[in-house]
Amino acid sequence: MNMSSESLLIILFVGLVAGWLAGQIVRGTGFGIVGDIIVGILGAFVGSWLFPQLGVHLGSVSAIVNATFGAVLLLLVVRLVRGGGGWGSSWRGSWGRRW
């Protein structure tokens, strides 16, 4: 299977957008560029598997929509598995730890 550099850039861009959107929906902030890409790409796998199973077929914007919904679902499952507190319990404000 040959993948062009354009295809790789599209996959990374869709992953970045979907991961950022999922982070905004579930957490209120993103995860950084690498984290957003990882969450978005994993979400794309979840969404592209789940929606056809449910009989849902989206039009031309399906890549970002599938990846975003899949990433949101993935983040919600991770939050449930981790015990509900998730990311919000470790928030220390915008300055981090105080000296």
Side-chain angles (χ1 to χ4, degrees):
M1 178 176 159
N2 283 335
M3 182 179 296
S4 69
S5 59
E6 292 173 0
S7 297
L8 182 61
L9 286 175
I10 290 171
I11 289 169
L12 292 176
F13 178 73
V14 168
L16 177 64
V17 171
W20 180 81
L21 284 171
Q24 295 296 317
I25 293 168
V26 174
R27 186 175 155 200
T29 62
F31 298 100
I33 291 175
V34 175
D36 286 345
I37 290 173
I38 291 171
V39 168
I41 290 173
L42 290 175
F45 284 118
V46 171
S48 66
W49 173 80
L50 181 64
F51 281 146
Q53 298 294 325
L54 298 174
V56 176
H57 301 286
L58 301 172
S60 61
V61 294
S62 65
I64 291 177
V65 173
N66 275 347
T68 301
F69 282 124
V72 167
L73 182 64
L74 176 72
L75 291 176
L76 290 174
V77 168
V78 167
R79 181 175 277 182
L80 286 173
V81 169
R82 290 184 70 191
W87 300 284
S89 63
S90 64
W91 184 75
R92 299 188 203 300
S94 63
W95 296 102
R97 287 189 180 189
R98 306 265 182 212
W99 318 91

